[in-house]
Short mmCIF file of all heavy atoms in Angstrom, two decimals:
data_model
loop_
_atom_site.label_atom_id
_atom_site.label_comp_id
_atom_site.label_asym_id
_atom_site.label_seq_id
_atom_site.Cartn_x
_atom_site.Cartn_y
_atom_site.Cartn_z
N GLY A 1 -17.09 9.23 0.39
CA GLY A 1 -15.79 9.86 0.64
C GLY A 1 -15.02 9.20 1.77
O GLY A 1 -14.39 9.87 2.58
N HIS A 2 -15.03 7.86 1.80
CA HIS A 2 -14.41 7.19 2.95
C HIS A 2 -12.89 7.14 2.86
O HIS A 2 -12.21 7.40 3.85
CB HIS A 2 -14.96 5.77 3.10
CG HIS A 2 -14.33 5.03 4.24
ND1 HIS A 2 -14.35 5.52 5.53
CD2 HIS A 2 -13.64 3.86 4.29
CE1 HIS A 2 -13.72 4.67 6.33
NE2 HIS A 2 -13.26 3.68 5.60
N LEU A 3 -12.36 6.78 1.70
CA LEU A 3 -10.90 6.66 1.55
C LEU A 3 -10.42 7.52 0.40
O LEU A 3 -11.04 7.55 -0.66
CB LEU A 3 -10.50 5.21 1.28
CG LEU A 3 -10.73 4.18 2.39
CD1 LEU A 3 -10.39 2.78 1.86
CD2 LEU A 3 -9.91 4.50 3.63
N TYR A 4 -9.25 8.18 0.61
CA TYR A 4 -8.64 8.91 -0.50
C TYR A 4 -7.51 8.05 -1.04
O TYR A 4 -6.38 8.07 -0.55
CB TYR A 4 -8.14 10.29 -0.09
CG TYR A 4 -7.84 11.12 -1.32
CD1 TYR A 4 -8.88 11.74 -2.02
CD2 TYR A 4 -6.56 11.22 -1.83
CE1 TYR A 4 -8.63 12.46 -3.18
CE2 TYR A 4 -6.29 11.94 -2.98
CZ TYR A 4 -7.34 12.56 -3.66
OH TYR A 4 -7.09 13.26 -4.81
N ILE A 5 -7.84 7.29 -2.08
CA ILE A 5 -6.92 6.32 -2.69
C ILE A 5 -6.19 6.98 -3.84
O ILE A 5 -6.80 7.54 -4.75
CB ILE A 5 -7.71 5.09 -3.16
CG1 ILE A 5 -8.16 4.27 -1.94
CG2 ILE A 5 -6.91 4.24 -4.13
CD1 ILE A 5 -9.09 3.13 -2.26
N THR A 6 -4.85 6.93 -3.80
CA THR A 6 -4.04 7.47 -4.88
C THR A 6 -3.18 6.36 -5.47
O THR A 6 -2.87 5.37 -4.80
CB THR A 6 -3.11 8.60 -4.41
OG1 THR A 6 -2.02 8.05 -3.63
CG2 THR A 6 -3.86 9.62 -3.57
N ARG A 7 -2.80 6.55 -6.73
CA ARG A 7 -1.85 5.64 -7.38
C ARG A 7 -0.81 6.48 -8.09
O ARG A 7 -1.15 7.43 -8.80
CB ARG A 7 -2.57 4.71 -8.35
CG ARG A 7 -3.54 3.74 -7.66
CD ARG A 7 -4.23 2.85 -8.66
NE ARG A 7 -3.28 1.96 -9.32
CZ ARG A 7 -3.45 1.46 -10.54
NH1 ARG A 7 -4.52 1.79 -11.25
NH2 ARG A 7 -2.55 0.66 -11.07
N ILE A 8 0.45 6.12 -7.87
CA ILE A 8 1.57 6.84 -8.48
C ILE A 8 2.05 6.04 -9.68
O ILE A 8 2.57 4.93 -9.52
CB ILE A 8 2.73 7.02 -7.47
CG1 ILE A 8 2.21 7.50 -6.11
CG2 ILE A 8 3.77 7.98 -8.05
CD1 ILE A 8 1.43 8.79 -6.15
N PRO A 9 1.88 6.56 -10.90
CA PRO A 9 2.22 5.78 -12.09
C PRO A 9 3.67 5.29 -12.10
O PRO A 9 4.58 6.04 -11.74
CB PRO A 9 1.98 6.78 -13.23
CG PRO A 9 0.99 7.75 -12.68
CD PRO A 9 1.32 7.88 -11.22
N HIS A 10 3.82 4.02 -12.43
CA HIS A 10 5.11 3.40 -12.75
C HIS A 10 6.02 3.15 -11.55
O HIS A 10 7.14 2.68 -11.73
CB HIS A 10 5.89 4.23 -13.79
CG HIS A 10 5.06 4.63 -14.97
ND1 HIS A 10 4.39 3.72 -15.76
CD2 HIS A 10 4.77 5.86 -15.48
CE1 HIS A 10 3.73 4.36 -16.72
NE2 HIS A 10 3.93 5.65 -16.57
N ILE A 11 5.59 3.44 -10.33
CA ILE A 11 6.48 3.16 -9.20
C ILE A 11 6.36 1.69 -8.79
O ILE A 11 5.37 1.02 -9.09
CB ILE A 11 6.22 4.07 -7.98
CG1 ILE A 11 4.82 3.81 -7.39
CG2 ILE A 11 6.43 5.53 -8.32
CD1 ILE A 11 4.61 4.46 -6.02
N THR A 12 7.37 1.20 -8.07
CA THR A 12 7.37 -0.18 -7.58
C THR A 12 6.81 -0.21 -6.16
O THR A 12 6.62 0.84 -5.52
CB THR A 12 8.81 -0.72 -7.54
OG1 THR A 12 9.57 0.06 -6.61
CG2 THR A 12 9.46 -0.65 -8.92
N CYS A 13 6.58 -1.42 -5.66
CA CYS A 13 6.13 -1.58 -4.27
C CYS A 13 7.14 -0.96 -3.31
O CYS A 13 6.76 -0.31 -2.32
CB CYS A 13 5.96 -3.06 -3.92
SG CYS A 13 4.45 -3.80 -4.51
N GLU A 14 8.41 -1.18 -3.60
CA GLU A 14 9.48 -0.65 -2.73
C GLU A 14 9.46 0.88 -2.71
O GLU A 14 9.61 1.50 -1.65
CB GLU A 14 10.84 -1.16 -3.20
CG GLU A 14 11.07 -2.66 -3.02
CD GLU A 14 10.29 -3.53 -4.00
OE1 GLU A 14 9.91 -3.01 -5.08
OE2 GLU A 14 10.04 -4.71 -3.69
N GLN A 15 9.26 1.48 -3.87
CA GLN A 15 9.19 2.94 -3.92
C GLN A 15 7.94 3.46 -3.20
O GLN A 15 7.99 4.48 -2.52
CB GLN A 15 9.20 3.41 -5.38
CG GLN A 15 10.54 3.22 -6.07
CD GLN A 15 10.47 3.52 -7.55
OE1 GLN A 15 9.52 3.14 -8.25
NE2 GLN A 15 11.49 4.22 -8.07
N ARG A 16 6.83 2.73 -3.35
CA ARG A 16 5.61 3.10 -2.63
C ARG A 16 5.86 3.11 -1.13
O ARG A 16 5.47 4.03 -0.42
CB ARG A 16 4.49 2.13 -3.00
CG ARG A 16 3.13 2.41 -2.35
CD ARG A 16 2.90 1.64 -1.07
NE ARG A 16 3.14 0.23 -1.16
CZ ARG A 16 2.31 -0.65 -1.71
NH1 ARG A 16 1.17 -0.26 -2.21
NH2 ARG A 16 2.64 -1.93 -1.73
N ASN A 17 6.53 2.07 -0.65
CA ASN A 17 6.82 1.98 0.78
C ASN A 17 7.76 3.10 1.23
O ASN A 17 7.63 3.63 2.34
CB ASN A 17 7.40 0.61 1.11
CG ASN A 17 6.39 -0.50 0.89
OD1 ASN A 17 5.18 -0.26 0.85
ND2 ASN A 17 6.88 -1.73 0.75
N GLU A 18 8.70 3.48 0.37
CA GLU A 18 9.60 4.61 0.67
C GLU A 18 8.79 5.89 0.87
O GLU A 18 9.05 6.67 1.80
CB GLU A 18 10.59 4.83 -0.48
CG GLU A 18 11.72 3.85 -0.56
CD GLU A 18 12.58 4.10 -1.81
OE1 GLU A 18 12.38 5.16 -2.47
OE2 GLU A 18 13.43 3.25 -2.12
N ILE A 19 7.83 6.12 -0.02
CA ILE A 19 7.00 7.33 0.07
C ILE A 19 6.22 7.35 1.38
O ILE A 19 6.14 8.38 2.06
CB ILE A 19 6.05 7.42 -1.14
CG1 ILE A 19 6.85 7.65 -2.43
CG2 ILE A 19 5.02 8.55 -0.95
CD1 ILE A 19 6.03 7.50 -3.69
N ILE A 20 5.66 6.21 1.75
CA ILE A 20 4.90 6.13 3.00
C ILE A 20 5.80 6.44 4.20
O ILE A 20 5.39 7.15 5.13
CB ILE A 20 4.24 4.74 3.14
CG1 ILE A 20 3.12 4.60 2.10
CG2 ILE A 20 3.68 4.53 4.54
CD1 ILE A 20 2.48 3.23 2.03
N ILE A 21 7.03 5.92 4.17
CA ILE A 21 7.97 6.19 5.26
C ILE A 21 8.34 7.67 5.30
O ILE A 21 8.38 8.29 6.37
CB ILE A 21 9.24 5.31 5.11
CG1 ILE A 21 8.89 3.84 5.38
CG2 ILE A 21 10.34 5.79 6.06
CD1 ILE A 21 9.99 2.87 5.01
N LYS A 22 8.58 8.27 4.14
CA LYS A 22 8.93 9.70 4.09
C LYS A 22 7.77 10.55 4.61
O LYS A 22 8.00 11.57 5.30
CB LYS A 22 9.30 10.10 2.66
CG LYS A 22 10.64 9.55 2.20
CD LYS A 22 10.94 9.93 0.76
CE LYS A 22 12.29 9.36 0.31
NZ LYS A 22 12.59 9.68 -1.10
N MET A 23 6.55 10.17 4.28
CA MET A 23 5.38 10.90 4.82
C MET A 23 5.32 10.74 6.34
O MET A 23 5.04 11.71 7.07
CB MET A 23 4.10 10.38 4.17
CG MET A 23 3.93 10.76 2.72
SD MET A 23 3.55 12.52 2.46
CE MET A 23 1.79 12.53 2.86
N ALA A 24 5.60 9.55 6.83
CA ALA A 24 5.58 9.30 8.28
C ALA A 24 6.64 10.14 8.99
O ALA A 24 6.40 10.64 10.09
CB ALA A 24 5.80 7.82 8.55
N GLU A 25 7.79 10.30 8.34
CA GLU A 25 8.86 11.11 8.93
C GLU A 25 8.43 12.58 9.07
O GLU A 25 8.97 13.31 9.90
CB GLU A 25 10.12 11.01 8.07
CG GLU A 25 10.79 9.64 8.18
CD GLU A 25 11.91 9.44 7.16
OE1 GLU A 25 12.01 10.26 6.21
OE2 GLU A 25 12.66 8.46 7.30
N ARG A 26 7.47 12.99 8.26
CA ARG A 26 6.93 14.35 8.35
C ARG A 26 5.65 14.40 9.18
O ARG A 26 4.91 15.39 9.17
CB ARG A 26 6.69 14.90 6.95
CG ARG A 26 7.98 14.94 6.12
CD ARG A 26 7.81 15.70 4.83
NE ARG A 26 8.96 15.50 3.94
CZ ARG A 26 9.19 16.19 2.84
NH1 ARG A 26 8.34 17.14 2.46
NH2 ARG A 26 10.25 15.96 2.08
N GLY A 27 5.35 13.29 9.87
CA GLY A 27 4.23 13.26 10.80
C GLY A 27 2.89 12.92 10.18
O GLY A 27 1.85 13.14 10.81
N ILE A 28 2.89 12.39 8.96
CA ILE A 28 1.64 12.10 8.25
C ILE A 28 1.50 10.58 8.09
O ILE A 28 2.31 9.95 7.42
CB ILE A 28 1.60 12.78 6.88
CG1 ILE A 28 1.80 14.29 7.02
CG2 ILE A 28 0.29 12.47 6.16
CD1 ILE A 28 2.11 14.99 5.72
N ALA A 29 0.48 10.02 8.68
CA ALA A 29 0.24 8.58 8.60
C ALA A 29 -0.53 8.25 7.32
O ALA A 29 -1.60 8.80 7.08
CB ALA A 29 -0.54 8.11 9.82
N CYS A 30 0.03 7.38 6.51
CA CYS A 30 -0.64 6.90 5.30
C CYS A 30 -0.90 5.41 5.43
O CYS A 30 -0.47 4.77 6.38
CB CYS A 30 0.21 7.19 4.06
SG CYS A 30 0.51 8.94 3.78
N ASN A 31 -1.60 4.85 4.46
CA ASN A 31 -1.97 3.45 4.53
C ASN A 31 -2.02 2.87 3.12
O ASN A 31 -1.81 3.60 2.15
CB ASN A 31 -3.34 3.31 5.22
CG ASN A 31 -3.48 2.02 5.99
OD1 ASN A 31 -2.98 0.98 5.58
ND2 ASN A 31 -4.19 2.08 7.12
N VAL A 32 -2.31 1.58 3.02
CA VAL A 32 -2.47 0.92 1.72
C VAL A 32 -3.80 0.16 1.74
O VAL A 32 -4.07 -0.60 2.66
CB VAL A 32 -1.31 -0.06 1.43
CG1 VAL A 32 -1.59 -0.86 0.16
CG2 VAL A 32 0.01 0.69 1.33
N HIS A 33 -4.62 0.38 0.74
CA HIS A 33 -5.92 -0.31 0.61
C HIS A 33 -6.04 -0.91 -0.79
O HIS A 33 -6.32 -0.19 -1.73
CB HIS A 33 -7.07 0.66 0.85
CG HIS A 33 -7.16 1.15 2.25
ND1 HIS A 33 -6.44 2.24 2.70
CD2 HIS A 33 -7.87 0.69 3.32
CE1 HIS A 33 -6.70 2.44 3.97
NE2 HIS A 33 -7.56 1.52 4.38
N TYR A 34 -5.87 -2.20 -0.94
CA TYR A 34 -5.56 -3.21 0.05
C TYR A 34 -4.47 -4.11 -0.47
O TYR A 34 -4.21 -4.14 -1.67
CB TYR A 34 -6.78 -4.09 0.35
CG TYR A 34 -7.82 -3.45 1.22
CD1 TYR A 34 -8.97 -2.91 0.66
CD2 TYR A 34 -7.66 -3.38 2.59
CE1 TYR A 34 -9.94 -2.33 1.45
CE2 TYR A 34 -8.63 -2.80 3.40
CZ TYR A 34 -9.76 -2.27 2.82
OH TYR A 34 -10.70 -1.69 3.61
N LYS A 35 -3.88 -4.89 0.41
CA LYS A 35 -3.08 -6.02 -0.02
C LYS A 35 -4.06 -7.09 -0.48
O LYS A 35 -4.91 -7.54 0.30
CB LYS A 35 -2.24 -6.53 1.16
CG LYS A 35 -1.27 -7.64 0.84
CD LYS A 35 -0.47 -7.96 2.11
CE LYS A 35 0.53 -9.08 1.86
NZ LYS A 35 1.30 -9.35 3.11
N PRO A 36 -4.02 -7.50 -1.75
CA PRO A 36 -5.02 -8.45 -2.25
C PRO A 36 -5.07 -9.73 -1.43
O PRO A 36 -4.04 -10.20 -0.92
CB PRO A 36 -4.55 -8.72 -3.68
CG PRO A 36 -3.78 -7.49 -4.06
CD PRO A 36 -3.08 -7.06 -2.81
N LEU A 37 -6.25 -10.29 -1.30
CA LEU A 37 -6.44 -11.47 -0.46
C LEU A 37 -5.51 -12.63 -0.82
O LEU A 37 -4.99 -13.30 0.08
CB LEU A 37 -7.90 -11.93 -0.51
CG LEU A 37 -8.93 -10.94 0.07
CD1 LEU A 37 -10.33 -11.55 0.03
CD2 LEU A 37 -8.58 -10.55 1.51
N PRO A 38 -5.26 -12.90 -2.12
CA PRO A 38 -4.38 -14.04 -2.44
C PRO A 38 -2.95 -13.89 -1.95
O PRO A 38 -2.18 -14.86 -2.00
CB PRO A 38 -4.43 -14.10 -3.97
CG PRO A 38 -5.73 -13.46 -4.33
CD PRO A 38 -5.89 -12.36 -3.33
N MET A 39 -2.57 -12.71 -1.47
CA MET A 39 -1.22 -12.49 -0.94
C MET A 39 -1.13 -12.83 0.54
O MET A 39 -0.03 -12.88 1.11
CB MET A 39 -0.77 -11.05 -1.18
CG MET A 39 -0.64 -10.69 -2.64
SD MET A 39 -0.14 -8.97 -2.89
CE MET A 39 1.57 -9.03 -2.35
N HIS A 40 -2.27 -13.05 1.19
CA HIS A 40 -2.30 -13.35 2.62
C HIS A 40 -2.21 -14.86 2.85
O HIS A 40 -2.73 -15.66 2.07
CB HIS A 40 -3.58 -12.82 3.26
CG HIS A 40 -3.63 -11.33 3.35
ND1 HIS A 40 -2.87 -10.61 4.24
CD2 HIS A 40 -4.35 -10.42 2.65
CE1 HIS A 40 -3.14 -9.32 4.10
NE2 HIS A 40 -4.03 -9.18 3.13
N THR A 41 -1.58 -15.24 3.95
CA THR A 41 -1.35 -16.65 4.27
C THR A 41 -2.63 -17.48 4.25
O THR A 41 -2.66 -18.58 3.68
CB THR A 41 -0.67 -16.78 5.64
OG1 THR A 41 0.58 -16.09 5.61
CG2 THR A 41 -0.44 -18.23 6.01
N ALA A 42 -3.68 -16.97 4.88
CA ALA A 42 -4.93 -17.74 4.97
C ALA A 42 -5.47 -18.11 3.60
O ALA A 42 -5.98 -19.23 3.40
CB ALA A 42 -5.98 -16.95 5.76
N TYR A 43 -5.36 -17.18 2.66
CA TYR A 43 -5.91 -17.42 1.32
C TYR A 43 -4.94 -18.23 0.45
O TYR A 43 -5.37 -19.00 -0.41
CB TYR A 43 -6.31 -16.10 0.68
CG TYR A 43 -7.46 -15.48 1.46
CD1 TYR A 43 -7.23 -14.62 2.53
CD2 TYR A 43 -8.77 -15.84 1.19
CE1 TYR A 43 -8.27 -14.11 3.29
CE2 TYR A 43 -9.82 -15.34 1.94
CZ TYR A 43 -9.56 -14.47 2.99
OH TYR A 43 -10.60 -13.99 3.75
N LYS A 44 -3.65 -18.07 0.70
CA LYS A 44 -2.68 -18.97 0.04
C LYS A 44 -2.96 -20.41 0.44
O LYS A 44 -2.92 -21.32 -0.38
CB LYS A 44 -1.25 -18.59 0.44
CG LYS A 44 -0.74 -17.28 -0.14
CD LYS A 44 0.67 -17.01 0.37
CE LYS A 44 1.20 -15.67 -0.09
NZ LYS A 44 2.55 -15.39 0.48
N ASN A 45 -3.27 -20.59 1.74
CA ASN A 45 -3.55 -21.94 2.24
C ASN A 45 -4.83 -22.52 1.65
O ASN A 45 -5.03 -23.74 1.66
CB ASN A 45 -3.63 -21.93 3.77
CG ASN A 45 -2.29 -21.68 4.43
OD1 ASN A 45 -1.24 -21.83 3.79
ND2 ASN A 45 -2.29 -21.30 5.69
N LEU A 46 -5.71 -21.65 1.17
CA LEU A 46 -6.93 -22.11 0.50
C LEU A 46 -6.71 -22.38 -0.99
O LEU A 46 -7.63 -22.80 -1.70
CB LEU A 46 -8.05 -21.07 0.67
CG LEU A 46 -8.64 -20.93 2.08
CD1 LEU A 46 -9.59 -19.74 2.15
CD2 LEU A 46 -9.35 -22.21 2.50
N GLY A 47 -5.48 -22.11 -1.45
CA GLY A 47 -5.13 -22.43 -2.84
C GLY A 47 -5.11 -21.26 -3.79
O GLY A 47 -4.90 -21.44 -5.00
#
């Protein structure tokens, strides 16, 4: 029971980020698990 991972069907990344901001405005900190490794600079540099 380490992480409570949810997925909202059919939303975009931008909409996901909007939801996280709206939750933050109500004092609730959310997160994203994970940004896939190939999206990070170090792994792009590895090809």
Side-chain angles (χ1 to χ4, degrees):
H2 179 56
L3 294 175
Y4 194 80
I5 288 173
T6 73
R7 295 179 65 207
I8 314 303
H10 312 304
I11 65 168
T12 63
C13 281
E14 292 73 23
Q15 290 173 317
R16 182 265 310 282
N17 295 339
E18 284 176 10
I19 293 170
I20 291 174
I21 291 169
K22 289 177 180 179
M23 289 288 281
E25 289 170 348
R26 301 190 191 191
I28 304 166
C30 298
N31 211 324
V32 174
H33 292 86
Y34 284 101
K35 185 177 180 179
L37 295 183
M39 296 179 71
H40 290 287
T41 300
Y43 294 90
K44 289 178 184 177
N45 291 342
L46 290 172

